[in-house]
Amino acid sequence: MSHQDYKVADISLADWGRKEMKIAESEMPGLMETRREFAPQQPLKGARIAGCLHMTIQTAVLIETLQELGAEVRWSSCNIFSTQDQAAAAVAANGTPVFAWKGETEEEYWWCIDQTINGPDGWQPNLLLDDGGDLTAVVHEKYPELLPKLYGLSEETTTGVNRLYHMAKKGTLGAPSFNVNDSVTKSKFDNLYGCRESLVDSIKRATDVMIAGKTAVVCGFGDVGKGSAQSLRGLGAQVWVTEIDPICALQAAMEGYKVVTMEDAVEVADIFVTATGNYNVITHEHMKAMKDEAIVCNIGHFDNEIDVDSLRQYKWDQIKPQVDHVEFPDGKKITLLAEGRLVNLGCGTGHPSYVMSNSFTNQVMAQMELFNNWGKYERDVYILPKHLDEKVASLHLGRVGAKLTRMDQEQAEYLGVPVDGPYKSEWYRY
Ligand code: NAI
């Protein structure tokens, strides 16, 4: 029997996955247009990409876009709960070595990443596409000999990007890196509008709780927190916000949210959501003080925003996968979602395709730039130029029936910007 170069939960889910991918493609104009524009030139021919990013339907469309542009790809998910098994099956059935299933153990998680770095016949990547920085860390720590052979890497999320800047500052970053997160068409769309749709969706799928009338606390009012707060308010919750940054706290107040500390909120709120990218934001003491049937979840990248370890000493009762009742000695119970891992991918299916098309078109552009122009880059962290950011946005206007106004030459001269863009300064904040 030939060696099977993939590991998924159930390959027979491939047809279902393929049907969902077809629908997703109709909602991902950026990726589909990128295929049409660049596939004839095969700009990624010779690229060997190891990818570590939530193995969802949208990611399946990203993978096949990279392949259509000429790349060889191996893939794992960047979270043990975020894989959609039908998506993994669909890409595996199409011949992509994917190592991902929903509900991996920690040990299996790291094994899956390893499989993407070491393929058959000595296959190893020359590009990395990461979300959260785990693949990047494994390559730096376990396979440092690969670093000089890399054209570079691109990173999807705020937390992963923070890790890259830390490494660059310490001088330990081993390859040119693109910060995809801080393309405007990524963080100001995916983090914000993506979470606005996927946060409440996942809480509802997990608990069916009535949101209206409840008090919900969102910890962190960055891009993810802003979207999360809006989504809870949309269904009628009273939303309270905690922040450490006075600017973000003031923004929350101006939006009409009550800005509080956890100490003000723990005994009264019904739903708690962490969105900080920081750690130990909801502590054991906080959870001890919460009321019976409080719902606790995290939408930030890592599971250490909530001190889940401190709950291990108590009785856990699984309601269904990724939904647990944790019972305290006094009989009080809290509902913990996705064991504190990012709830919208653990208890839901992540962001909608349309917003992920924005993020992933930036990813594809970063990969093409690194592979074709690597000589221009040091071992440092870069952001895609603004004209590409604007291009990503323009690729998505048609699908929502948005018509762009075009300046005439006189107006452009009056503003001092080219008629064809870029339209804003680097320091413009959108
Ligand atoms: P951000 O940096 O824009 O926002 C985080 C906010 O949390 C900041 O305003 C910061 O001041 C605040 N904060 C930090 N420590 C705090 C504390 N102890 N208490 C209260 N507030 C605190 O970051 P962004 O883009 O909003 O991302 C947040 C997290 O979500 C990151 O881990 C990121 O990787 C992740 N993320 C998750 C997504 C998902 O689909 N689940 C999508 C995009 C990002």
Side-chain angles (χ1 to χ4, degrees):
M1 205 177 104
S2 67
H3 172 68
Q4 174 187 300
D5 192 22
Y6 66 84
K7 188 164 163 63
V8 300
D10 182 358
I11 196 72
S12 76
L13 300 177
D15 281 350
W16 172 28
R18 182 58 54 184
K19 286 179 198 167
E20 290 198 342
M21 283 174 68
K22 281 279 159 234
I23 298 172
E25 285 172 7
S26 74
E27 280 279 289
M28 302 188 86
L31 287 184
M32 301 313 278
E33 185 53 37
T34 303
R35 289 184 191 185
R36 273 188 290 276
E37 182 177 344
F38 292 103
Q41 296 105 280
Q42 292 287 286
L44 290 175
K45 194 168 175 49
R48 297 188 304 277
I49 301 171
C52 181
L53 194 154
H54 309 292
M55 186 55 251
T56 60
I57 291 291
Q58 294 71 33
T59 301
V61 180
L62 165 65
I63 290 172
E64 294 194 353
T65 303
L66 295 167
Q67 290 168 330
E68 284 211 15
L69 304 190
E72 291 173 26
V73 178
R74 298 176 73 80
W75 213 266
S76 73
S77 198
C78 63
N79 187 278
I80 63 171
F81 291 142
S82 65
T83 296
Q84 285 176 266
D85 288 324
Q86 73 276 27
V91 281
N94 212 26
T96 305
V98 51
F99 302 84
W101 56 96
K102 191 172 183 74
E104 296 160 5
T105 64
E106 289 270 348
E107 196 184 334
E108 288 166 342
Y109 174 76
W110 297 109
W111 178 85
C112 288
I113 290 183
D114 231 272
Q115 302 314 302
T116 67
I117 300 170
N118 298 295
D121 307 318
W123 191 101
Q124 288 195 308
N126 54 25
L127 278 163
L128 309 179
L129 192 159
D130 208 357
D131 182 344
D134 284 346
L135 169 64
T136 301
V138 170
V139 169
H140 277 77
E141 286 155 25
K142 201 169 160 193
Y143 302 101
E145 71 284 359
L146 263 180
L147 292 169
K149 299 180 207 157
L150 291 184
Y151 291 97
L153 65 94
S154 57
E155 168 55 53
E156 175 83 358
T157 199
T158 316
T159 286
V161 161
N162 285 346
R163 293 171 88 178
L164 290 178
Y165 284 113
H166 273 294
M167 291 165 85
K169 206 168 164 191
K170 279 196 296 180
T172 57
L173 182 62
S177 303
F178 265 94
N179 164 359
V180 169
N181 184 66
D182 287 293
S183 288
V184 179
T185 48
K186 200 287 185 182
S187 50
K188 298 292 172 188
F189 289 82
D190 165 326
N191 306 26
L192 179 68
Y193 305 119
C195 292
R196 188 171 71 177
E197 304 215 3
S198 61
L199 172 70
V200 160
D201 170 62
S202 61
I203 295 175
K204 298 287 272 182
R205 288 190 203 214
T207 65
D208 294 317
V209 78
M210 184 87 179
I211 305 274
K214 298 284 191 311
T215 299
V217 178
V218 175
C219 304
F221 200 69
D223 293 315
V224 170
K226 289 178 172 77
S228 300
Q230 217 185 329
S231 100
L232 290 158
R233 173 187 271 174
L235 287 198
Q238 285 186 41
V239 180
W240 295 1
V241 166
T242 72
E243 251 298 342
I244 52 148
D245 177 338
I247 295 176
C248 298
L250 189 60
Q251 283 182 313
M254 294 298 99
E255 289 293 334
Y257 300 112
K258 186 166 165 176
V259 181
V260 299
T261 64
M262 275 302 281
E263 286 63 35
D264 299 327
V266 274
E267 288 175 21
V268 272
D270 305 284
I271 300 169
F272 296 84
V273 182
T274 52
T276 68
N278 205 341
Y279 91 110
N280 218 16
V281 175
I282 295 185
T283 63
H284 184 219
E285 286 306 310
H286 292 149
M287 290 184 283
K288 261 176 34 190
M290 286 175 188
K291 58 186 194 192
D292 193 37
E293 295 297 351
I295 294 170
V296 182
C297 63
N298 162 49
I299 194 164
H301 188 80
F302 281 122
D303 61 341
N304 54 0
E305 299 205 23
I306 302 166
D307 186 5
V308 174
D309 283 346
S310 73
L311 299 176
R312 300 279 174 205
Q313 58 184 312
Y314 301 131
K315 188 172 149 226
W316 287 48
D317 184 19
Q318 187 178 78
I319 312 296
K320 61 182 177 181
Q322 286 87 55
V323 183
D324 292 284
H325 247 163
V326 180
E327 186 176 337
F328 287 72
D330 61 359
K332 183 216 41 202
K333 294 181 183 130
I334 62 171
T335 301
L336 178 68
L337 304 185
E339 297 181 33
R341 293 169 201 267
L342 69 192
V343 64
N344 59 334
L345 284 135
C347 295
T349 52
H351 298 342
S353 303
Y354 183 75
V355 86
M356 294 315 296
S357 177
N358 285 268
S359 307
F360 289 166
T361 305
N362 282 296
Q363 279 285 5
V364 174
M365 288 183 176
Q367 292 281 318
M368 288 196 292
E369 178 63 14
L370 286 165
F371 189 60
N372 293 296
N373 294 314
W374 55 273
K376 282 174 26 191
Y377 300 101
E378 311 284 326
R379 287 181 207 146
D380 208 341
V381 189
Y382 299 88
I383 295 177
L384 282 171
K386 195 167 285 292
H387 72 91
L388 290 182
D389 221 348
E390 291 176 353
K391 177 172 175 173
V392 173
S394 63
L395 291 176
H396 290 87
L397 291 176
R399 182 78 181 97
V400 290
K403 284 193 202 159
L404 199 62
T405 299
R406 198 171 158 77
M407 287 189 289
D408 60 31
Q409 191 57 42
E410 289 73 38
Q411 287 177 312
E413 279 165 21
Y414 182 76
L415 283 184
V417 295
V419 172
D420 294 317
Y423 298 101
K424 296 288 194 293
S425 64
E426 285 308 319
W427 55 90
Y428 186 79
R429 292 194 173 91
Y430 296 91

